[in-house]
Amino acid sequence: MVLLPGGGDVNIDYARFSNLTSGEGSNWTLTGAVTIYEAKVRISNSIFTKNNCEDGLNLIRCDFEMNQSEISHTTSDGFDADFCSGTLSNSSFFNTGNDCIDFSGSTITIASCSIEGSGDKGISGGEGSNLLVKDCKIKGASIGVASKDNSEVRVVETTISTCDFGFAAYMKKAEFGPALVDVESAQLKNVREPYLIELNSRVLMNGKENLGKKRFDIDSMYMSFSKK
């Protein structure tokens, strides 16, 4: 499903989107089972599940609020937002083939969400994103929270469990720079390593700076830990 409201409002309430594939035209293909471009989006009490595509939900250049909703059982990413601003709250994300939540070039607050069973990262911010992660529970991912490519991710009152790495900060794309994760308060349970940090990127934990000292192939390094 593709919605192009030209900056107008999109309100989705008590809806279910399942068994969908990516939107396609004669000479184009979109990544999302549900794709919304340039809109003011309000999503509540809705489910996106068992969709066979790159993104279960993809928002592009939107201002959004999403609450009391679920994204689950996707072949790749669950929720992907590009160049968006908004709030994501009281929602569940689980059993995704890749990232549960992936934001690029966006400013987002993620509050009181449950994230479980990610094939890659629980929450990922990239390409200059600014994320606040508050009162969330993340379980069963390669990386709990990742910041990459000039992004800043602040983490407050969040629990991360059964992950290879609690936090990661790195540069993936050469045109961007190092990244920051600022952990104000978090609990790590059954996590192999608290953080993974590439050259010049930083993870602040309770005010203590941990600076990356070397460059490495971030993808091959953390994927070697991925769950079988």
Side-chain angles (χ1 to χ4, degrees):
M1 186 178 81
V2 182
L3 298 175
L4 307 170
D9 294 339
V10 173
N11 296 305
I12 298 173
D13 194 16
Y14 289 100
R16 183 183 180 92
F17 303 89
S18 62
N19 298 304
L20 301 177
T21 58
S22 303
E24 295 185 4
S26 59
N27 58 357
W28 53 267
T29 301
L30 297 176
T31 61
V34 177
T35 299
I36 305 174
Y37 180 76
E38 288 192 347
K40 296 178 180 178
V41 181
R42 304 295 177 265
I43 300 172
S44 60
N45 305 295
S46 295
I47 296 174
F48 303 76
T49 189
K50 297 180 181 177
N51 292 304
N52 184 21
C53 50
E54 186 173 336
D55 307 313
L57 171 64
N58 185 205
L59 303 184
I60 305 168
R61 300 189 185 280
C62 292
D63 175 48
F64 75 90
E65 292 180 7
M66 180 175 177
N67 66 85
Q68 299 290 346
S69 293
E70 172 193 309
I71 297 180
S72 64
H73 300 287
T74 62
T75 54
S76 190
D77 290 347
F79 182 12
D80 189 305
D82 304 304
F83 312 109
C84 293
S85 61
T87 301
L88 175 58
S89 61
N90 299 298
S91 294
S92 298
F93 302 81
F94 56 92
N95 294 347
T96 61
N98 201 25
D99 300 339
C100 277
I101 300 171
D102 184 15
F103 295 136
S104 298
S106 298
T107 300
I108 311 291
T109 295
I110 305 164
S112 302
C113 289
S114 177
I115 299 154
E116 184 171 355
S118 169
D120 195 346
K121 300 176 285 294
I123 296 174
S124 176
E127 299 183 17
S129 289
N130 193 316
L131 308 184
L132 170 61
V133 179
K134 183 176 181 180
D135 188 30
C136 290
K137 292 179 173 60
I138 302 169
K139 181 179 181 181
S142 184
I143 295 173
V145 176
S147 178
K148 57 186 186 287
D149 299 329
N150 276 345
S151 295
E152 295 186 9
V153 179
R154 181 178 163 218
V155 180
V156 182
E157 297 174 358
T158 288
T159 300
I160 297 175
S161 61
T162 319
C163 294
D164 296 315
F165 298 94
F167 309 100
Y170 55 94
M171 182 180 71
K172 187 174 182 179
K173 299 181 179 178
E175 63 269 31
F176 291 93
L180 168 68
V181 180
D182 184 357
V183 185
E184 291 190 10
S185 52
Q187 288 187 324
L188 302 182
K189 302 177 180 179
N190 192 28
V191 172
R192 296 189 192 182
E193 299 289 342
Y195 45 74
L196 174 65
I197 315 171
E198 197 203 20
L199 180 67
N200 295 327
S201 288
R202 296 178 295 151
V203 173
L204 303 179
M205 296 192 71
N206 302 316
K208 180 182 177 181
E209 180 178 80
N210 301 278
L211 179 66
K213 299 296 180 63
K214 63 180 181 179
R215 194 173 301 284
F216 45 76
D217 184 340
I218 187 79
D219 288 330
S220 63
M221 183 171 181
Y222 77 71
M223 286 307 293
S224 68
F225 286 83
S226 61
K227 309 293 187 294
K228 304 298 184 183

